[in-house]
Amino acid sequence: MPVSLVILAAGLGSRMNSDLPKVLHPLAGAPLLAHAMRAGAELEPDRVVVVTGHGGERVASAARAENPEARIAHQAEQLGTAHAVAQARPALADFSGDIVVLYGDTPFIRPETLAAMLEARERHAICVLGFEARDPGRYGRLVMSGDRLDRIVEHADATDEERAIRLCNSGVLCADSTLLFDLIGAVGNANAKGEYYLTDIVAIAHARGLSTGVVTCPEAETLGINTRAELAAAETAFQARARAEALGNGVTMTAPETVFLALDTVIGRDAVIGPNVVFGPGVTVESGAEILAFCHLEGCHISRGAVVGPFARLRPGAELAEDVRVGNFVEVKNAILDEGAKVNHLSYIGDAHVGERANVGAGTVTCNYDGVMKHRTEIGARAFIGSDTMLVAPVRVGADAMTGSGSVISEDVPDGALAIGRARQEVKPGLALRLMARLRAARERKG
Ligand code: UD1
Ligand code: CA
């Protein structure tokens, strides 16, 4: 049965106290919305419709960044969850199959749970994801008759007796598309909040003699983010799980509690990660690579046998081939370092290609930016860049070439050549002693 997703992301999330729409707040380096989209993507949906409202364009572009084929439905006024799902109807007009409704602010739903819901859907017209809440608070309550779900009552509309129910509504549900939009058409807004509640479709279905089932999951999975404190707690929970997973996958971490991983971090078996390493989005580390303490990595690839850090920063587009060395206080951005290349100390390598086994001396800078445009630096295989060389891009240093320490290299250096671009040294015999004597005498005179 084909499946489509509708992801609700229209809310402002006023309790975040932020100008940023709630679903764009980052968790593990990715917006909350991306987490929900990624879990849903495992169902291989036919279509993904994201319902935007507050911060519409920004939310839409985050959705497209995660899935370029995502369709956007705009909900101009937030009149309730049923009204939100109804906005997705045009984008799904010629779709028939199951629809899974997810919330953009609920990042921890596991794909396995969604798969279990689709399976339960085979026995029920509607399947709702519920959980036993430790503190049911303001969640909607699932009113059961035996193992059948009769209806969902929102906290604001519930009696004391209903509020005592601990089985709560996660908000995730699944139904056939034609039925879902049909039932939503019958939802009214005569309730405590004056909203069109999606949850009302359960009672309506029930009145029509349709069966409704519940799949349950641990509360941690349905955790919704409403405040900064909840976001911080979610980050902690994510990191604990991601670290345990990495250790389980055979990654060595000497102080895992100080390592921060991103949603899409990939680290191979027997890689070694030192203390206080931060992974931004888009990092892959191959088996057996080593990341020493205090590195910050983002959008980069580190191959087998490479050693990075301590205190290195790899920015987007840094590609390190096998056995590369990037040492302390080195920044690499949008640069390919071929096999065995070394940049060991205090350097900036940006918009560059460093050939295999080239050695880049301490303090080297690729001067890639002229104030308006970025330019490339090419360093050939086995080249030796003297310490404190300024490579004024665009510039090319050939294979097996050398630059003298302290050179400003603004013209290409042919293969095998040595280039020196610095003031010639002059030596004045005895001048140091004479100069010191003069200075001391001057001090005496002053008293
Ligand atoms: C909803 C459920 C409740 C459930 C809880 C779980 C309803 C009526 N209630 O309540 O049973 O226990 O979630 O967290 O469905 N949204 C829109 N447009 C709208 C309204 C909401 O896109 O017009 C989005 C919000 O951005 C949010 C989600 O839908 O991501 C849930 O909305 P919210 O207002 O937070 O619903 P709750 O009152 O928490
Ligand atoms: Ca909510």
Side-chain angles (χ1 to χ4, degrees):
M1 175 77 86
V3 179
S4 284
L5 303 177
V6 173
I7 303 180
L8 303 190
L12 170 63
S14 54
R15 289 165 69 210
M16 295 295 279
N17 191 11
S18 176
D19 288 338
L20 190 66
K22 176 163 75 174
V23 295
L24 299 188
H25 279 264
L27 174 69
L32 287 173
L33 177 63
H35 289 253
M37 289 178 74
R38 208 162 286 200
E42 300 271 324
L43 299 176
E44 297 182 357
D46 201 82
R47 274 176 221 181
V48 177
V49 186
V50 177
V51 180
T52 63
H54 288 280
E57 239 345 281
R58 291 167 85 184
V59 175
S61 60
R64 287 192 207 97
E66 176 60 28
N67 175 358
E69 271 151 35
R71 299 171 188 222
I72 308 300
H74 190 70
Q75 186 192 25
E77 251 188 304
Q78 280 66 63
L79 302 179
T81 46
H83 179 258
V85 175
Q87 308 312 303
R89 189 173 194 165
L92 293 163
D94 51 349
F95 168 79
S96 69
D98 281 342
I99 290 180
V100 174
V101 177
L102 297 174
Y103 289 175
D105 62 359
T106 306
F108 291 140
I109 297 280
R110 288 184 319 134
E112 294 81 350
T113 300
L114 298 179
M117 289 182 68
L118 287 180
E119 201 188 277
R121 239 287 293 147
E122 288 166 15
R123 301 184 297 276
H124 302 284
I126 301 174
C127 178
V128 169
L129 182 63
F131 63 101
E132 287 283 344
R134 231 173 339 136
D135 169 16
R138 282 184 282 195
Y139 286 117
R141 306 299 204 268
L142 302 186
V143 182
M144 309 290 292
S145 313
D147 60 0
R148 225 186 38 196
L149 175 63
D150 277 352
R151 59 199 175 90
I152 304 177
V153 58
E154 289 305 294
H155 179 261
D157 305 290
T159 62
D160 284 346
E161 205 176 313
E162 287 164 337
R163 285 181 183 179
I165 297 173
R166 290 182 52 191
L167 185 62
C168 291
N169 175 30
S170 69
V172 178
L173 64 77
C174 170
D176 168 76
S177 57
T178 310
L179 175 69
L180 178 66
F181 290 119
D182 187 28
L183 293 172
I184 283 174
V187 170
N189 65 349
N191 52 50
K193 289 194 189 163
E195 285 185 6
Y196 295 89
Y197 293 160
L198 181 61
T199 44
D200 282 355
I201 66 169
V202 172
I204 298 167
H206 203 221
R208 293 188 190 175
L210 297 167
S211 94
T212 313
V214 174
V215 163
T216 57
C217 71
E219 185 169 8
E221 259 187 72
T222 68
L223 181 78
I225 309 296
N226 298 301
T227 63
R228 306 259 187 177
E230 285 171 4
L231 182 62
E235 184 75 46
T236 303
F238 177 93
Q239 293 300 336
R241 229 188 20 233
R243 290 164 189 149
E245 214 170 282
L247 293 168
N249 290 343
V251 176
T252 298
M253 290 196 273
T254 45
E257 69 285 3
T258 66
V259 173
F260 288 83
L261 300 153
L263 177 60
D264 59 358
T265 303
V266 178
I267 309 178
R269 191 161 164 261
D270 288 322
V272 177
I273 312 295
N276 296 293
V277 174
V278 176
F279 290 85
V283 179
T284 49
V285 178
E286 287 185 11
S287 267
E290 233 179 300
I291 315 294
L292 305 180
F294 292 100
C295 288
H296 192 281
L297 314 174
E298 190 182 353
C300 61
H301 178 86
I302 299 161
S303 303
R304 189 180 287 271
V307 181
V308 177
F311 297 99
R313 178 172 184 207
L314 301 186
R315 292 172 51 205
E319 300 256 348
L320 276 50
E322 292 184 13
D323 303 320
V324 161
R325 295 281 181 279
V326 169
N328 41 266
F329 308 109
V330 172
E331 173 180 344
V332 181
K333 183 215 77 173
N334 186 30
I336 296 173
L337 276 62
D338 287 346
E339 196 174 331
K342 290 184 178 149
V343 189
N344 272 330
H345 331 269
L346 299 155
S347 292
Y348 171 61
I349 304 297
D351 302 310
H353 177 203
V354 180
E356 61 175 39
R357 285 184 289 121
N359 190 324
V360 176
T364 295
V365 172
T366 54
C367 310
N368 60 329
Y369 186 49
D370 58 16
V372 179
M373 283 193 299
K374 300 281 172 66
H375 302 281
R376 290 192 60 81
T377 299
E378 287 283 336
I379 297 174
R382 300 169 304 280
F384 184 96
I385 307 299
S387 295
D388 201 30
T389 297
M390 299 294 116
L391 296 159
V392 183
V395 74
R396 176 180 177 279
V397 176
D400 302 295
M402 294 177 91
T403 68
S405 295
S407 289
V408 177
I409 301 294
S410 51
E411 280 166 41
D412 288 357
V413 181
D415 291 357
L418 167 67
I420 305 178
R422 64 186 187 214
R424 186 171 287 277
Q425 180 171 327
E426 272 183 68
V427 177
K428 315 270 191 195
L431 183 58
L433 292 173
R434 292 201 301 279
L435 185 63
M436 285 310 268
R438 216 186 294 154
L439 292 171
R440 287 203 186 94
R443 189 175 58 190
E444 304 274 289
R445 276 200 302 280
K446 270 194 172 172

